[in-house]
Amino acid sequence: MVDLSLYNNKWYHPGAGIIKRILWYYTNEIFFVSGLFPVNGLKILLLRLFGAKIGIGVVIKPHVNIKYPWHLTIGNHTWIGENVWIDCLTHVHIHDHVCISQGALILTGNHDYSKSSFDLIIKPIQIHSGAWIGSRAVVCPGVSVGHHAVLTVGSVASKDLQPCYIYKGNPAISVKYRPL
């Protein structure tokens, strides 16, 4: 039975002080989540100012939500689609030439449902070069998406995805080899 009065995540440190987190919260809401500022270069500059490592040729569409950019690395020529949520409670590394389509969730955090205290669990995510995360797909904590792997629309990756395979379903299973 879950007893949320027992919940305690004092062990977790988000990697920045309260002032930086508050500044990022408002920056994220105004410049990223709201979609009022579609200028890509401004978003890249703001992410870098807050500690993200961003390559060249990165495209970030409107309405993207990023939790803690100081835990984020994005390689060259990567596209982040509308309404993507990158929940970087810990490190997220998105390599070169990756496409993350509309509404996808990149989740580094979850809760331990087997404990009544519902403890926080965080694990890093790697999305390797040439991978494609389909619209409304979910990449769960600790998952490594292999190079040129595809996670199809609405699928859920709860385990590592091998390179050059197409994955479908919940949980995602490989359905086809994707030759380079």
Side-chain angles (χ1 to χ4, degrees):
M1 174 114 8
V2 173
D3 181 352
L4 294 178
S5 68
L6 299 175
Y7 181 75
N8 179 351
N9 71 337
K10 287 183 182 176
W11 63 269
Y12 175 70
H13 188 276
I18 187 73
I19 304 269
K20 186 174 183 178
R21 292 195 320 262
I22 290 170
L23 285 172
W24 173 250
Y25 174 83
Y26 287 107
T27 300
N28 188 41
E29 287 295 319
I30 293 166
F31 293 97
F32 291 82
V33 176
S34 75
L36 294 174
F37 295 90
V39 180
N40 196 60
L42 177 60
K43 291 186 273 190
I44 299 299
L45 173 66
L46 290 168
L47 284 169
R48 287 178 177 148
L49 285 173
F50 277 92
K53 296 171 187 75
I54 309 292
I56 60 168
V58 171
V59 174
I60 300 175
K61 294 292 190 171
H63 307 289
V64 171
N65 189 0
I66 298 170
K67 185 67 169 193
Y68 296 137
W70 43 90
H71 291 307
L72 180 62
T73 300
I74 301 176
N76 299 321
H77 307 289
T78 289
W79 299 348
I80 310 294
E82 291 90 348
N83 298 306
V84 167
W85 182 17
I86 304 174
D87 185 33
C88 339
L89 295 171
T90 189
H91 195 71
V92 172
H93 190 156
I94 302 167
H95 292 256
D96 301 339
H97 304 284
V98 170
C99 179
I100 301 179
S101 295
Q102 301 88 336
L105 301 175
I106 311 302
L107 305 175
T108 60
N110 204 345
H111 294 275
D112 188 347
Y113 60 85
S114 70
K115 294 187 177 181
S116 61
S117 56
F118 211 51
D119 294 350
L120 178 66
I121 300 168
I122 60 169
K123 295 179 184 176
I125 289 176
Q126 291 268 344
I127 303 175
H128 292 276
S129 295
W132 179 12
I133 307 302
S135 182
R136 299 196 180 268
V138 179
V139 179
C140 293
V143 169
S144 177
V145 177
H147 68 85
H148 298 90
V150 175
L151 182 62
T152 63
V153 172
S155 296
V156 178
S158 55
K159 294 184 180 172
D160 290 352
L161 306 184
Q162 296 305 308
C164 300
Y165 277 90
I166 299 170
Y167 288 82
K168 181 178 181 179
N170 180 8
I173 58 169
S174 65
V175 294
K176 185 176 180 181
Y177 181 71
R178 180 186 187 205
L180 292 177

